[in-house]
């Protein structure tokens, strides 16, 4: 299984926005997992709490199946949902949970998912562009 084209496309369209991305090949799938910048900004990116709140993009090339899970602070929910809605596939809000920020405040994280099969190259690109927009830090946001 050759994940290089997928990893290259993710890097081209989304890569510079990701916090601590990792590329993995496993079980016929190409996986890029990372922290959404807003999640890392609010919770950090080096604790056990944040380890459970990584986002990810999964591509299974033989079946052309795509899975995306974004975990973001509730404060960014409407912006992220609007960006994902601009893509070609439906977006589901799948979960929410609280996490303790380093300052002790509880932060509500919401989870958004896209799961599709038989994804064309054009739809894969359009979806990754929507993910890139969902990951883009808003103007004036802290780095």
């Amino acid at each position: 299984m050759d994940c290089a084209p997928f990893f290259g496309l993710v890097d081209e369209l989304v890569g510079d926005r990701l916090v601590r991305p990792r590329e993995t090949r496993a079980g016929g799938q190409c996986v890029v997992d990372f922290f959404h910048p807003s999640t890392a900004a609010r919770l950090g990116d080096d604790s056990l709490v944040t380890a459970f709140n990584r986002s990810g993009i999964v591509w299974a090339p033989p079946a052309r199946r795509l899975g995306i899970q974004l975990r973001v602070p509730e404060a960014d929910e409407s912006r992220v949902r609007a960006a994902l809605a601009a893509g070609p596939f439906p977006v589901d809000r799948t979960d929410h949970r609280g996490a303790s920020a380093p300052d002790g405040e509880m932060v509500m994280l919401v989870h958004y998912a896209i799961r599709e099969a038989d994804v064309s190259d054009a739809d894969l690109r359009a979806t990754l562009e929507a993910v890139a927009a969902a990951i883009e830090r808003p103007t004036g946001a802290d780095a």
Side-chain angles (χ1 to χ4, degrees):
M1 170 187 60
D2 185 12
C3 290
F6 171 73
F7 290 150
L9 186 61
V10 170
D11 190 49
E12 172 192 338
L13 298 175
V14 189
D16 62 340
R17 295 167 175 89
L18 306 178
V19 176
R20 292 184 47 194
R22 298 183 300 205
E23 296 177 352
T24 308
R25 294 165 177 87
Q29 297 179 335
C30 311
V31 179
V32 177
D33 67 296
F34 55 92
F35 293 108
H36 187 284
S38 296
T39 301
R42 191 62 191 101
L43 298 178
D45 65 2
D46 61 353
S47 73
L48 186 57
V49 169
T50 51
F52 291 108
N53 291 299
R54 290 182 70 85
S55 295
I57 305 168
V58 179
W59 176 244
R64 303 198 59 84
R65 294 184 61 155
L66 177 65
I68 296 171
Q69 179 81 35
L70 293 183
R71 294 179 169 104
V72 300
E74 190 173 43
D76 283 350
E77 180 175 15
S78 59
R79 184 183 62 77
V80 167
R81 183 167 183 78
L84 293 175
F89 301 119
V91 180
D92 296 317
R93 185 177 194 255
T94 58
D95 197 6
H96 65 280
R97 61 182 60 152
S100 180
D103 62 7
E105 181 183 345
M106 286 301 291
V107 175
M108 185 62 65
L109 295 172
V110 293
H111 302 186
Y112 281 98
I114 297 171
R115 290 181 182 82
E116 289 295 326
D118 300 319
V119 176
S120 70
D121 288 344
D123 283 346
L124 176 60
R125 178 174 277 280
T127 303
L128 291 176
E129 288 170 348
V131 169
I135 293 172
E136 188 71 40
R137 303 261 316 148
T139 303
D142 295 334

